[in-house]
Amino acid sequence: MFFQIAAVLILLIFYGCYFGKMLIQKKKGIQTNQIGKGKAGFVKIIELTMKAATILAPIVEVYSIFMNRSMFPIWVRYAGIAIAVLGDVIFVISVLTMKDSWRAGVSETDKTELVTDGIYQLSRNPAFLGFDLVYIGILMMFFCQTLFFVSVFAVLMLHLQIVNVEEDFLTTAFGNEYIEYKKTVNRYFGRKYKRES
């Protein structure tokens, strides 16, 4: 029962932040959900497949939580709680740091700012990192084969969204400013340091 309560709270915080931010932005006239909108070809396929994966994952997670089974020892389940909570913290901080520039998917029509301060000094994609850590943490708490495959699929689709859609869009939208940013901050975590010649 403890793991079930912990997992439900983790998901409520995560999705509460996600949908709460969308609602706040909607009241300001900002269309947050840009997934698949105004896109064509490969980019549209990636975004819509990612959307399907991120809808399927919490459905399977909730079912796994309800079943409350795991093939892992208890210490792994406790580690899963810690990892998922870290995912929540990173995700919430990233959404708050982005302010009104935050979007789900990329928007080629909205004018947004390139955010490089706060948590974005340590990760170019902390919201995606938050998603990944929550998926991994829940998987560690309620491991089964179905949840494993769905979680891996969701993490893979989020990665493809970054490398095939987000990075190309940001390079086009912000040019040299984003290229220089990429040289100093890693995709998921850590700063790059230039070696002294």
Side-chain angles (χ1 to χ4, degrees), residues 64-83:
S64 298
I65 292 166
F66 176 76
M67 296 304 292
N68 195 24
R69 294 189 195 128
S70 181
M71 298 170 68
F72 284 155
I74 196 146
W75 69 266
V76 173
R77 298 183 82 184
Y78 279 114
I81 292 174
I83 289 169

Side-chain angles (χ1 to χ4, degrees), residues 7 29 47 49 52 65 72 77 121 139-140 146 148 159 166 177 181:
E47 284 205 343
T49 308
I65 292 166
F72 284 155
R77 298 183 82 184
Q121 294 176 54
L139 177 62
M140 289 170 71
T146 304
F148 173 77
H159 179 73
E166 303 261 343
E177 185 183 2
Y181 174 56

Side-chain angles (χ1 to χ4, degrees), residues 20-74:
K21 181 70 171 185
M22 286 180 119
L23 185 61
I24 290 166
Q25 288 188 310
K26 185 176 182 179
K27 288 180 179 178
K28 294 180 178 181
I30 299 169
Q31 180 63 44
T32 306
N33 184 3
Q34 296 291 331
I35 299 172
K37 295 180 180 175
K39 317 293 185 340
F42 184 65
V43 169
K44 185 167 188 162
I45 291 168
I46 290 289
E47 284 205 343
L48 292 178
T49 308
M50 178 199 65
K51 185 175 187 175
T54 56
I55 290 170
L56 180 61
I59 292 170
V60 176
E61 285 174 338
V62 168
Y63 175 75
S64 298
I65 292 166
F66 176 76
M67 296 304 292
N68 195 24
R69 294 189 195 128
S70 181
M71 298 170 68
F72 284 155
I74 196 146

Side-chain angles (χ1 to χ4, degrees), residues 120 122-126 167 178 181-182 185-187 192:
Y120 289 85
L122 299 173
S123 172
R124 294 199 316 262
N125 300 284
E167 291 180 352
Y178 180 68
Y181 174 56
K182 279 177 70 172
V185 180
N186 290 323
R187 181 177 286 140
K192 300 176 184 179

Side-chain angles (χ1 to χ4, degrees), residues 3-12 14-15 57-66 68-72 76-85 87-88 130-144 147-148 151:
F3 291 106
Q4 289 173 301
I5 292 168
V8 167
L9 288 174
I10 287 163
L11 292 181
L12 284 174
F14 187 88
Y15 290 104
I59 292 170
V60 176
E61 285 174 338
V62 168
Y63 175 75
S64 298
I65 292 166
F66 176 76
N68 195 24
R69 294 189 195 128
S70 181
M71 298 170 68
F72 284 155
V76 173
R77 298 183 82 184
Y78 279 114
I81 292 174
I83 289 169
V85 167
D88 269 1
F131 264 99
D132 291 349
L133 292 174
V134 169
Y135 290 150
I136 291 165
I138 298 291
L139 177 62
M140 289 170 71
M141 292 164 68
F142 303 98
F143 186 88
C144 69
L147 183 58
F148 173 77
S151 300

